[in-house]
Amino acid sequence: MGYICLMAVDRDHVLRSAAALLTRKSTATMDEVAKAAGISRATLHRHFAGRDALVRALEALGIEECEAALDAARLDDDSAQEAVRRFVTEIESAAGLLAFLYTENQLFEGEEQNAGWARIDARIAALFRRGQASGEFRIDLTPAWLTEALYGLLASGAWAVTEGRLAPKDFTHMIVELLLGGALRREES
Amino acid sequence: MGYICLMAVDRDHVLRSAAALLTRKSTATMDEVAKAAGISRATLHRHFAGRDALVRALEALGIEECEAALDAARLDDDSAQEAVRRFVTEIESAAGLLAFLYTENQLFEGEEQNAGWARIDARIAALFRRGQASGEFRIDLTPAWLTEALYGLLASGAWAVTEGRLAPKDFTHMIVELLLGGALRREES
DNA sequence: TTCTTGTGAGACATGGATGTCTCACATGGG
DNA sequence: CCCATGTGAGACATCCATGTCTCACAAGAA
């Protein structure tokens, strides 16, 4: 009975399809999500009890990918600047999902959010703090704000790509360069 | 008969209340919007034919405030850098509304968007282009991306403020400094 | 006062998304 | 072959936001 594996594969495929669709149209119907995954609404419902469960699962997936990217980026190696660069590179494929979850979180309002985000926030903020401590980053921009700004830029970048205003290949460069270097020209050092 | 004026005042008040509410909870019900404005749902309906009309009116208000901020910022005066600073200062009070409209626009999908945004995009992009031409701004970040990033940072800043992660008084500084200077420390010039 | 006007409250129908159910079918193993 | 399992299609009830309507009330003008 390999059905457990089969279920898992299908579930993941459904999740990926849903993420791809909801990135483009955050209000997509369960019917549309099902069609996008190539399954019927009934089967979709067998995997996820309801829309809420689906969003929660997507949130878990987003957190998972985010933490995987943080791990892969080796935040404690060499300079904080390079670590940021690596992280954005690693997170690129999940940026659309992040953008969806970023706005979705806005309307959770009262409810407590998944603890995973707090962990992720802490790791990213710690990275910026390390950069400040080492003298790489300026200290008048708080780590919390830099973290928030990074999310915002990732979302902006993901949307700009889906709407064709930004070439996918420029995604990482545009985000990292703006976040780290800003728009002003540097004096040649 | 001063009723026209009275209507206009009420309508504006309703619009402001709706903007404030929808900034915090973008899925708020017509009922909630009415309560937030201190009127009944029936009266709200007398001002705006439906939710769609309300959102359109908010869009028009956002465009109006945005263009007013662009005018007030005198984009063609002195350095592009200072013009950006002035613009962010001017737009601060409308940033929440902008953030709401920014995400709302994501789900317009097929429909053509209000031409006002194209005008605004063009003016902001032109500002960044001027900065590049004058040598103030680096040329590897496209004006279109800088414009997009500015929107993203304004939205991130507005949300961070409403959720208490950013002090309102730091709003302009955090956004402008990150956008223009980036996170890296500058060598003292 | 009387009439007009805007409003609030509520009833009511509508539409759309959702959740649940049944049933027929296809596939794959025994 | 026969049975079990997962699936698709569709019917169905339900919920919720929305849009429309009526009616009574309060405030202001004539």
Side-chain angles (χ1 to χ4, degrees), chain A residues 3 10 38-43 46:
Chain A
Y3 80 95
D10 272 353
I39 62 177
S40 71
R41 197 163 64 96
T43 303
R46 283 175 193 120

Side-chain angles (χ1 to χ4, degrees), chain A residues 44-55:
Chain A
L44 176 59
H45 227 275
R46 283 175 193 120
H47 285 306
F48 306 98
R51 188 191 183 75
D52 204 60
L54 175 63
V55 173

Side-chain angles (χ1 to χ4, degrees), chain B residues 80-179:
Chain B
Q81 171 181 348
E82 285 305 318
V84 168
R85 209 173 293 272
R86 284 193 299 269
F87 173 64
V88 174
T89 300
E90 293 290 337
I91 202 66
E92 175 174 357
S93 62
L97 176 58
L98 263 304
F100 164 69
L101 295 171
Y102 186 53
T103 56
E104 200 74 4
N105 269 337
Q106 299 304 127
L107 57 85
F108 275 175
E109 253 216 308
E111 312 159 44
E112 74 294 341
Q113 63 174 6
N114 190 311
W117 296 122
R119 287 199 305 273
I120 292 168
D121 283 0
R123 291 179 70 178
I124 298 180
L127 168 61
F128 286 121
R129 206 169 296 112
R130 175 168 83 85
Q132 288 180 330
S134 74
E136 280 180 85
F137 296 163
R138 45 202 288 195
I139 59 172
D140 60 329
L141 301 177
T142 67
W145 164 244
L146 290 172
T147 304
E148 202 75 26
L150 175 53
Y151 290 147
L153 290 177
L154 286 171
S156 290
W159 285 326
V161 167
T162 65
E163 294 182 24
R165 290 197 295 269
L166 178 62
K169 71 176 178 57
D170 293 333
F171 179 86
T172 302
H173 182 260
M174 291 288 173
I175 290 175
V176 170
E177 288 304 315
L178 181 62
L179 179 69

